[in-house]
Amino acid sequence: GAGVSQSPSNKVTEKGKDVELRCDPISGHTALYWYRQSLGQGLEFLIYFQGNSAPDKSGLPSDRFSAERTGGSVSTLTIQRTQQEDSAVYLCASSPGHTKMRAGANVLTFGAGSRLTVL
Amino acid sequence: SQQGEEDPQALSIQEGENATMNCSYKTSINNLQWYRQNSGRGLVHLILIRSNEREKHSGRLRVTLDTSKKSSSLLITASRAADTASYFCATGAGAGSYQLTFGKGTKLSVIP
């Protein structure tokens, strides 16, 4: 597609339920990122996928959070047993992800985000 | 932990004035980027400056980088109401990582 697509755009769930958030990156982009943005705050890194390499999961806040990327394209972020503090906007981004690129040179294209509200 | 920290947290100016936002970071970088986020939307890339560059321009945007002070500034000249948004700086997490770390942002309000 022309841009990064995320779904759902809004999700309201009850505490304790599981949720899945989907990200469809720009075609051909090998790098995919998930960030979390709480109200009025900056972006908190969650996880990063680059091609067939093992993902960088260093930002996942707990084992309730997991993500996968199937076929090097679409990614799903899963939050199990949601808590109220999980309420936030979850942003997905992709980039061309050239492997020889120096750190900080990868330009990210973001989706509009999935707003999660846990009641 | 956050690598970049923007200041001020919030800035309100009249249309036509210039807006300056600052970003400080902690560790050495190869590149620094600035992004804009309109309310309720994702972030949009504005400009990238390399560590061997001191200044870069793009339209009404001017970015400076001072690696000795570990700081960068974003100047928006002749601001417009449409520039109202939050602005974030982003840096690489370090050698061997392609993680981008964002600051908390500066919320700019341009009053018509």
Side-chain angles (χ1 to χ4, degrees):
Chain A
V4 177
S5 179
Q6 291 189 245
S7 62
S9 54
N10 277 288
K11 176 73 176 178
V12 180
T13 190
E14 293 179 347
K15 178 181 171 182
K17 295 284 178 79
D18 297 351
V19 296
E20 285 190 351
L21 307 175
R22 175 188 166 107
C23 174
D24 199 344
I26 291 174
S27 178
H29 278 191
T30 59
L32 186 148
Y33 301 75
W34 283 99
Y35 287 87
R36 178 169 71 175
Q37 186 176 31
S38 300
L39 186 64
Q41 298 296 308
L43 276 69
E44 176 188 4
F45 168 77
L46 297 178
I47 188 169
Y48 159 77
F49 297 88
Q50 168 58 49
N52 296 321
S53 301
D56 177 352
K57 303 179 181 180
S58 60
L60 294 178
S62 77
D63 59 7
R64 297 187 295 106
F65 288 73
S66 63
E68 62 178 20
R69 189 179 185 190
T70 53
S73 181
V74 172
S75 177
T76 302
L77 176 69
T78 301
I79 309 172
Q80 296 178 308
R81 304 181 302 281
T82 52
Q83 304 293 314
Q84 288 183 332
E85 62 261 27
D86 299 334
S87 296
V89 176
Y90 289 82
L91 292 164
C92 176
S94 69
S95 78
H98 301 300
T99 54
K100 292 191 183 297
M101 190 176 295
R102 300 182 78 184
N106 40 332
V107 173
L108 273 56
T109 301
F110 281 82
S114 292
R115 180 178 297 277
L116 174 66
T117 303
V118 182
L119 302 176
Chain B
S1 63
Q2 299 199 299
Q3 163 76 312
E5 293 289 340
E6 295 89 344
D7 83 88
Q9 291 187 341
L11 180 61
S12 183
I13 60 173
Q14 295 289 328
E15 200 166 31
E17 293 180 339
N18 296 341
T20 300
M21 290 157 273
N22 303 296
C23 168
S24 59
Y25 55 91
K26 298 172 184 171
T27 60
S28 296
I29 58 167
N30 293 316
N31 302 278
L32 184 142
Q33 301 183 40
W34 285 90
Y35 287 77
R36 182 188 72 215
Q37 183 180 35
N38 289 88
S39 181
R41 309 292 296 273
L43 280 73
V44 174
H45 177 258
L46 294 176
I47 198 165
L48 180 151
I49 187 166
R50 294 184 168 78
S51 58
N52 61 355
E53 297 177 309
R54 292 295 166 260
E55 189 170 311
K56 198 162 183 179
H57 297 253
S58 176
R60 293 183 297 111
L61 305 181
R62 187 186 86 166
V63 169
T64 62
L65 179 64
D66 187 335
T67 53
S68 66
K69 295 182 180 178
K70 293 187 170 58
S71 68
S72 174
S73 67
L74 170 66
L75 168 68
I76 304 174
T77 60
S79 63
R80 305 168 182 168
D83 296 328
T84 294
S86 292
Y87 293 81
F88 297 86
C89 65
T91 55
S97 170
Y98 296 101
Q99 181 191 138
L100 266 190
T101 303
F102 289 80
K104 292 186 177 180
T106 292
K107 189 169 183 178
L108 173 66
S109 298
V110 181
I111 303 166

